[in-house]
Amino acid sequence: MDIGEIKKLIKLFESSALSELELEQEGHRILLRQGAVIHSAGAYAPPAVVSDGPIGQESAPAPTANPAPKTAVEEIKLTGHVIPSPMVGTFFRAPSPTSPPYVDVGDHVRKGQVLCLVEAMKLMNEIESDIDGKITRILQENGKPVEYGQPLFEISPA
Amino acid sequence: MTGRIDTSAFLEALDTKYLGRDPYFLDETGSTNDWMSFRLTQPKVERLLVMAENQTMGRGRMGRSWLSRPGENLTFSLAWAMPEGLANPAVVTLAVAVALAEALEAGYAVAPVIKYPNDLLLNEKKVAGILTELKSAGEEKFAVIGVGLNVNCAQEAFAGDLGSVATSLLIETGKRATREFVLAFFLNCLEPALELLASDGLKDIMVRYRRLALPLMGREVTIQGAGDVIKGKAEGVDGHGALLVRIDDGSIISVSSGEATFHRP
């Protein structure tokens, strides 16, 4: 899928009543979100993630600092190593509501270090880093649902 | 009949191949799940069981703790190496709930109901809770299974509002149960349930799970803590362990995360 097609898709998506659209094609995955998600988006949770193609491949334009338009479809190129969610569940950045988060953007992490929890059916799955590196992005918001394979963290390898 | 657990009585009643064969009965620890988590690299970790009369930092879901009653209740943890090929690790919790419910049913002639996903109720009140944590040790993943079960605590043990939502085997049956036996009966049920799960037996576990969860189906349910609040009618549990909820527009959605409240009719 080329840039033109992605732009077309975004336009179509914006004019629709859909809040989320995920498309997988020939190894490329595109996720578009709009609506309520924007309002709850914190510093670590971009309102929308558009990832296209294998990691590192030149794709969508870089994120801009423009104020959010009606449908803030921010496009992010995931250039680093991505830690995906191994299961459907709820994403938690800390072991309990009163604890500090496991990691923050900018933190150096080691292979095997716990980055977050994903909870489903009251099973707390500790997600660990599989490489040494620096956290460059936290791609999900605390307490929000995540899907299988959805990127959770971007890490710049050490 | 208070006092410490009698290890030989426990081992006498234990009928497992490995689960709980190497038990540690402690007076106090921070949290039995943490105790176990530090020992995951130990060989034959599945044989370990740790029980504490008092947990100073015991925790349930999201930091809430189970009521420690030294000499009366059971708060313990065990570890189980996650088998490869288990698509969704979260179903371990469901197998634990099934084993605990079946053990109480068979051993104490009570009728436990599973409140989705993994609380055990007797007469609408909570008698047991399960917290499973998935942790890595080297290349292996382990489920650290923590259970809190109210055995011999009297009604007076539940202060304030707790009395209307919590119960114990003693309160429900009028008889004190021998904790050593309760624990052994549970492990005797749990080992085959986990082995079944490891050998592609999720379907069978889910059939048993549904029977135990059935009494709360058809009720209005509210699910919080997994993004938006979901309200609807609980319709059942699917083959992957997700709760099926019929929402206002008539459609059915599957929910597998968050805190479910089933409203009494």
Side-chain angles (χ1 to χ4, degrees):
Chain A
M1 187 172 279
D2 63 28
I3 293 288
E5 282 179 300
I6 294 171
K7 279 184 179 160
K8 243 192 253 172
L9 190 69
I10 291 171
K11 236 182 182 157
L12 210 68
F13 175 67
E14 281 179 339
S15 62
S16 78
L18 294 173
S19 60
E20 192 171 317
L21 174 73
E22 193 175 347
L23 201 73
E24 217 168 325
Q25 196 182 30
E26 294 154 9
H28 294 205
R29 184 166 163 273
I30 290 180
L31 175 65
L32 298 176
R33 277 192 199 143
Q34 65 181 357
V37 181
I38 297 161
H39 306 298
S40 56
Y44 302 126
V49 177
V50 175
S51 65
D52 177 46
I55 305 308
Q57 182 185 309
E58 201 55 44
S59 59
T64 62
N66 292 342
K70 184 174 80 66
T71 49
V73 178
E74 189 180 338
E75 303 186 5
I76 293 171
K77 188 173 66 175
L78 295 174
T79 52
H81 178 81
V82 170
I83 306 288
S85 178
M87 63 180 202
V88 175
T90 304
F91 174 75
F92 290 109
R93 289 190 50 200
S96 79
T98 51
S99 312
Y102 287 107
V103 291
D104 267 308
V105 169
D107 284 0
H108 289 271
V109 295
R110 306 296 306 254
K111 183 181 173 183
Q113 186 175 334
V114 176
L115 304 177
C116 67
L117 290 177
V118 175
E119 179 268 340
M121 303 177 215
K122 289 201 188 175
L123 175 132
M124 304 290 173
N125 194 350
E126 286 186 353
I127 313 302
E128 302 175 327
S129 180
D130 54 2
I131 56 160
D132 294 349
K134 193 171 106 177
I135 304 279
T136 48
R137 278 180 212 279
I138 298 174
L139 298 156
Q140 303 301 330
E141 197 180 344
N142 188 51
K144 297 289 177 188
V146 290
E147 293 297 322
Y148 173 82
Q150 205 168 345
L152 303 176
F153 296 89
E154 185 195 50
I155 298 176
S156 162
Chain B
M1 230 171 298
T2 52
R4 293 188 66 158
I5 291 274
D6 176 348
T7 307
S8 60
F10 165 72
L11 289 173
E12 189 68 32
L14 190 67
D15 190 26
T16 60
K17 287 175 279 178
Y18 48 86
L19 220 57
R21 287 267 150 210
D22 193 2
Y24 288 75
F25 296 112
L26 314 176
D27 286 332
E28 187 173 284
T29 191
S31 130
T32 55
N33 264 25
D34 288 347
W35 187 99
M36 190 61 75
S37 299
F38 289 123
R39 283 160 183 81
L40 292 178
T41 50
Q42 194 166 313
K44 297 183 180 170
V45 68
E46 292 89 350
R47 296 176 66 88
L48 288 184
L49 166 93
V50 61
M51 184 190 112
E53 297 294 349
N54 194 30
Q55 288 193 97
T56 54
M57 292 168 67
R59 58 207 145 82
R61 192 166 179 275
M62 297 324 289
R64 275 175 261 152
S65 70
W66 193 261
L67 181 70
S68 277
R69 295 285 297 182
E72 295 182 351
N73 292 341
L74 287 169
T75 42
F76 59 95
S77 296
L78 30 100
W80 188 58
M82 290 297 288
E84 284 178 33
L86 196 59
N88 182 0
V91 294
V92 170
T93 319
L94 307 185
V96 177
V98 166
L100 189 53
E102 289 178 351
L104 297 182
E105 209 171 27
Y108 301 92
V110 286
V113 168
I114 295 176
K115 178 175 96 62
Y116 185 87
N118 64 334
D119 284 339
L120 245 60
L121 309 182
L122 290 176
N123 287 322
E124 303 268 344
K125 294 177 183 179
K126 185 160 160 173
V127 70
I130 301 157
L131 179 86
T132 314
E133 295 175 280
L134 207 56
K135 292 175 179 279
S136 298
E139 294 302 305
E140 265 197 290
K141 274 260 182 187
F142 291 90
V144 176
I145 300 160
V147 178
L149 172 64
N150 295 334
V151 184
N152 288 328
C153 63
Q155 188 68 52
E156 299 80 68
F158 301 118
D161 290 347
L162 211 52
S164 62
V165 294
T167 191
S168 71
L169 269 183
L170 170 67
I171 295 167
E172 298 302 324
T173 64
K175 288 185 228 164
R176 298 186 74 89
T178 305
R179 290 190 302 157
E180 290 84 348
F181 294 168
V182 179
L183 189 54
F185 292 165
F186 165 59
L187 296 177
N188 293 348
C189 290
L190 182 62
E191 191 177 81
L194 291 176
E195 286 186 346
L196 187 60
L197 208 56
S199 57
D200 209 17
L202 177 60
K203 234 181 211 173
D204 294 340
I205 293 292
M206 289 317 300
V207 168
R208 286 152 66 182
Y209 186 91
R210 285 192 197 98
R211 178 182 72 86
L212 293 156
L214 187 66
L216 296 189
M217 294 303 138
R219 288 197 185 180
E220 294 300 318
V221 65
T222 307
I223 296 123
Q224 284 172 301
D228 300 330
V229 175
I230 296 162
K231 284 179 189 226
K233 189 175 153 197
E235 292 276 2
V237 180
D238 75 12
H240 307 287
L243 182 68
L244 301 171
V245 180
R246 189 179 295 278
I247 54 174
D248 274 352
D249 68 4
S251 63
I252 288 186
I253 56 171
S254 65
V255 185
S256 58
S257 166
E259 187 76 28
T261 308
F262 292 83
H263 305 284
R264 292 192 197 201

